[in-house]
C-alpha cells in the first residue's frame, strides 16, 4: 500500500502547487494577478519537481496515468499495479485541487469570471477544435513520456523504469519546456488525472457562480495523453532495442 499512498501524496502536491499558481494568477483579489503565462509554467514546473521529489524513491513518482500506462506498455511496470496507481493518482488530484479551493476560498467567492474559475481546476482550449486539440495533447504527451523514458534510464533491462529523486529537476524542466513551447493551444494537460480529477471536483464543490464544468471537452485531456503516452512507449521499444 505504501506505493499507492505516495502516488496520492505526490499527485496531491503536484496539483496543489500547479493549480495553486493558476488560481493565484487568474482569480480576483489575489496578490499574483500579474503572474501571466510564464509564471504559470514556472509554477507548474516547480509543482512537478516537488511531487516527483517526494514520491520518487517509494512509488517511482508516475503521478500521471499516461506515464503509468506508457511504462506498462514498454514492459517496465507490472500491469497488476496499473489500476491501483491510476486510482491513487485520481485521488491525489482530487485532494490537491480541493486544497487549492480551500486556500483561495475568498477569492473564488469574489470571482465572477466562470472561465477563470474553471481554469484553476481544468483545461479548455484557446480555440475549440476537438481534432486539433486532441492532436496537441497527443504530441505534448508523446514528447513528455518519451523524454521521461530516457531521464529515468533509457535502456531496456529486467528492472522496472522509475524516476529517482535526482530525476525531479530534469522532469520539472521538461514540463516547463513543454508548457512554454506547446502549452498555448490547450493548456497542456498531458495528464488525465490532472485534468479529470479537478474537473470532477469543480462539478462537486459548492463554488458560487462557477458555471459549466465543460464536460464536452473532458475526453480530450484523457485520451490525448493516454494515446500519446502509449505511442511514446512503442517508439521507445522500437528505437531502444
Amino acid at each position: 500500500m505504501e506505493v499507492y499512498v505516495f502516488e496520492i501524496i505526490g499527485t496531491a502536491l503536484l496539483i496543489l502547487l500547479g493549480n495553486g499558481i493558476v488560481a493565484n494568477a487568474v482569480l480576483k483579489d489575489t496578490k499574483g494577478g500579474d503572474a501571466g503565462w510564464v509564471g504559470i509554467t514556472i509554477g507548474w514546473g516547480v509543482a512537478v519537481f516537488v511531487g516527483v521529489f517526494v514520491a520518487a524513491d517509494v512509488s517511482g513518482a508516475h503521478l500521471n496515468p499516461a506515464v503509468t500506462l506508457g511504462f506498462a506498455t514498454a514492459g517496465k511496470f507490472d500491469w497488476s499495479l496499473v489500476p491501483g496507481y491510476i486510482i491513487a493518482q485520481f485521488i491525489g488530484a482530487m485532494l490537491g485541487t480541493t486544497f487549492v479551493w480551500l486556500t483561495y476560498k475568498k477569492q473564488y467567492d469574489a470571482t465572477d469570471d466562470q472561465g477563470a474559475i474553471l481554469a484553476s481546476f481544468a483545461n479548455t482550449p484557446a480555440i475549440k477544435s476537438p481534432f486539433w486539440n486532441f492532436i496537441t495533447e497527443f504530441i505534448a504527451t508523446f514528447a513528455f513520456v518519451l523524454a521521461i523514458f530516457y531521464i529515468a534510464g533509457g535502456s531496456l533491462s529486467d528492472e522496472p523504469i522509475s524516476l529517482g529523486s535526482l530525476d525531479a529537476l530534469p522532469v520539472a524542466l521538461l514540463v516547463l519546456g513543454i508548457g512554454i513551447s506547446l502549452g498555448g493551444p490547450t493548456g497542456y494537460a498531458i495528464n488525465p488525472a490532472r485534468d479529470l480529477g479537478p474537473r470532477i471536483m469543480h462539478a462537486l464543490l459548492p463554488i458560487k457562480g462557477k458555471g459549466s464544468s465543460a464536460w464536452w471537452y473532458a475526453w480530450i485531456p484523457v485520451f490525448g495523453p493516454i494515446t500519446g503516452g502509449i505511442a511514446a512507449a512503442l517508439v521507445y521499444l522500437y528505437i531502444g532495442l
Side-chain angles (χ1 to χ4, degrees):
M1 290 297 296
E2 189 177 27
V3 293
Y4 301 134
V5 169
F6 272 82
E7 279 294 294
I8 292 172
I9 293 170
T11 309
L13 287 170
L14 166 69
I15 302 303
L16 172 62
L17 299 180
N19 277 353
I21 178 57
V22 180
N24 197 17
V26 304
L27 297 180
K28 186 177 180 181
D29 295 336
T30 77
K31 293 182 179 291
D34 58 352
W37 184 252
V38 173
I40 288 172
T41 56
I42 291 172
W44 269 107
V46 173
V48 170
F49 174 82
V50 173
V52 170
F53 193 90
V54 168
D57 289 339
V58 179
S59 71
H62 295 189
L63 315 185
N64 182 341
V67 172
T68 299
L69 290 168
F71 283 0
T73 299
K76 300 291 119 185
F77 187 71
D78 190 338
W79 279 103
S80 68
L81 296 175
V82 168
Y85 264 60
I86 291 176
I87 291 170
Q89 290 154 6
F90 271 90
I91 292 172
M94 295 167 78
L95 286 173
T97 209
T98 301
F99 293 146
V100 173
W101 172 66
L102 291 171
T103 301
Y104 284 92
K105 176 63 168 62
K106 299 306 292 183
Q107 282 72 30
Y108 280 110
D109 290 344
T111 300
D112 298 322
D113 185 341
Q114 295 177 351
I117 292 173
L118 179 59
S120 67
F121 283 84
N123 292 332
T124 54
I127 298 175
K128 182 179 178 181
S129 180
F131 174 77
W132 291 108
N133 301 151
F134 176 89
I135 293 297
T136 296
E137 286 292 334
F138 176 94
I139 291 172
T141 312
F142 176 87
F144 175 61
V145 174
L146 185 62
I148 281 179
F149 275 113
Y150 288 94
I151 291 171
S155 61
L156 293 171
S157 68
D158 293 332
E159 295 296 324
I161 289 180
S162 65
L163 295 170
S165 58
L166 293 178
D167 297 317
L169 181 57
V171 173
L173 292 174
L174 172 61
V175 171
L176 173 61
I178 288 174
I180 291 175
S181 300
L182 305 176
T186 62
Y188 72 115
I190 63 173
N191 182 339
R194 172 264 173 275
D195 189 273
L196 184 56
R199 195 181 301 271
I200 291 170
M201 295 312 299
H202 177 272
L204 294 178
L205 289 172
I207 305 169
K208 183 178 68 175
K210 62 184 173 182
S212 168
S213 299
W215 290 108
W216 60 268
Y217 183 71
W219 69 273
I220 291 174
V222 173
F223 291 102
I226 286 174
T227 54
I230 291 173
L234 295 175
V235 170
Y236 170 74
L237 285 173
Y238 178 76
I239 65 178
L241 290 172

